[in-house]
């Protein structure tokens, strides 16, 4: 058994949570690779919750309620969609073992999804891990323009309302830069993480049993 295969077999949901608390997370080389390996970037992507940038055009889209946004109603489907090939992404790091692990975290209440619907079809969404006052964004996808962006806006409003301290994006992309994402050196990130995981974020501070309107979300972000 290779070191990667052995690591994959030894990772449990509980081990995974401890790893997040230490600043590391698992990945796979591809969706078809059964093995996992640990990642601890030298620079970590973070969106400061008090510095979230929302472009006026996107705010109009959120306010217009063209999409219906729910949480935790289709977690496994969101993960599957994030793992599926897309025009800008032929392959992903989400393999079957990762789906199993994060599905278990979801059952434990430590992983959540945001679903964006249009005319009854799943148009986009994201998922991530909640631990204390930290939320670790894992992956997002879209099949309609702005769907994943709307999911992120709803997520940030929920984190702000729930008293979260840290929104970890793993890496910074051009897309995330538009929302205010920054790169944080490893040692500084660890200090931020230590403070955050000791917090008590409440993902359910905003209603989870019904879709939120854009007006409700924007009101939270204007506080």
């Amino acid at each position: 058994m290779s070191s990667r295969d052995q690591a994959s077999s030894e990772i449990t949901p509980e081990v995974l949570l401890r790893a997040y608390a230490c600043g590391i997370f698992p990945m796979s080389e591809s969706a078809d690779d059964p093995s996992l390996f640990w990642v601890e970037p030298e620079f970590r992507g973070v969106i400061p919750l008090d510095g979230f940038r929302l472009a006026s055009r996107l705010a109009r889209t959120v306010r217009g309620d063209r999409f219906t946004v729910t949480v935790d109603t289709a977690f496994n489907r969101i993960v599957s969609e994030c793992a599926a090939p897309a025009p800008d992404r032929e392959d992903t790091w989400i393999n079957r073992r990762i789906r199993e692990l994060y599905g278990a975290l979801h059952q434990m209440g430590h992983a959540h999804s945001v679903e964006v619907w249009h005319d009854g079809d799943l148009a986009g969404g994201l998922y991530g891990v909640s631990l204390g006052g930290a939320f670790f964004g894992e992956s997002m996808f879209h099949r309609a323009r702005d769907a994943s962006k709307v999911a992120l806006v709803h997520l940030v409003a929920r984190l702000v309302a729930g008293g979260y301290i840290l929104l970890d994006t793993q890496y910074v992309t051009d897309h995330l830069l538009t929302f205010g994402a920054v790169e944080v050196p490893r040692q500084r990130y660890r200090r931020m993480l230590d403070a955050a995981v000791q917090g008590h974020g409440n993902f359910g501070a905003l209603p989870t049993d019904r879709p939120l309107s854009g007006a409700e979300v924007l009101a939270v972000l204007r506080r």
Side-chain angles (χ1 to χ4, degrees):
M1 178 182 291
S2 70
S3 60
R4 287 191 176 188
D5 290 335
Q6 184 175 3
S8 302
S9 65
E10 292 176 349
I11 297 175
T12 64
E14 292 77 14
V15 168
L16 189 51
L17 289 177
R18 290 197 294 272
Y20 272 101
C22 295
I24 60 177
F25 55 88
M27 294 186 73
S28 176
E29 291 289 356
S30 71
D32 296 326
D33 186 344
S35 63
L36 301 178
F37 58 93
W38 292 115
V39 179
E40 186 182 16
E42 182 178 353
F43 290 91
R44 198 67 164 249
V46 170
I47 295 180
L49 293 173
D50 58 357
F52 182 65
R53 298 176 189 167
L54 179 57
S56 57
R57 186 192 68 80
L58 182 57
R60 288 194 296 272
T61 298
V62 172
R63 187 180 298 109
D65 288 329
R66 178 163 63 96
F67 298 109
T68 299
V69 183
T70 58
V71 297
D72 290 342
T73 66
F75 181 86
N76 290 333
R77 187 173 173 189
I78 289 291
V79 177
S80 293
E81 291 287 356
C82 287
D88 60 343
R89 183 189 66 226
E90 294 183 1
D91 202 0
T92 75
W93 47 270
I94 303 173
N95 64 7
R96 185 176 68 178
R97 182 59 181 149
I98 285 177
R99 295 188 199 189
E100 293 171 348
L101 285 167
Y102 288 86
L105 288 184
H106 177 60
Q107 293 297 319
M108 296 165 62
H110 281 289
H112 301 281
S113 58
V114 179
E115 304 95 18
V116 179
W117 309 85
H118 185 247
D119 293 336
D121 294 325
L122 189 58
L126 57 82
Y127 77 97
V129 174
S130 176
L131 183 63
F135 191 90
F136 308 87
E138 286 297 311
S139 188
M140 61 172 59
F141 83 98
H142 70 277
R143 300 202 182 283
R145 182 185 179 186
D146 291 336
S148 62
K149 295 179 181 179
V150 169
L152 181 58
V153 173
H154 275 251
L155 172 68
V156 170
R158 187 168 291 278
L159 300 183
V160 169
Y164 284 80
I165 301 171
L166 175 67
L167 172 52
D168 177 317
T169 66
Q170 296 180 348
Y171 299 100
V172 171
T173 64
D174 290 341
H175 169 68
L176 294 175
L177 282 172
T178 64
F179 292 98
V182 296
E183 282 190 330
V184 177
R186 183 182 295 162
Q187 292 303 319
R188 181 184 168 202
Y189 172 78
R190 285 177 177 171
R191 292 193 296 270
M192 296 169 64
L193 178 63
D194 287 345
V197 297
Q198 295 178 44
H200 301 282
N202 178 12
F203 196 81
L206 295 179
T208 60
D209 59 350
R210 63 170 176 84
L212 292 181
S213 70
E216 289 176 290
V217 166
L218 294 176
V220 172
L221 296 177
R222 284 196 298 265
R223 291 176 186 172

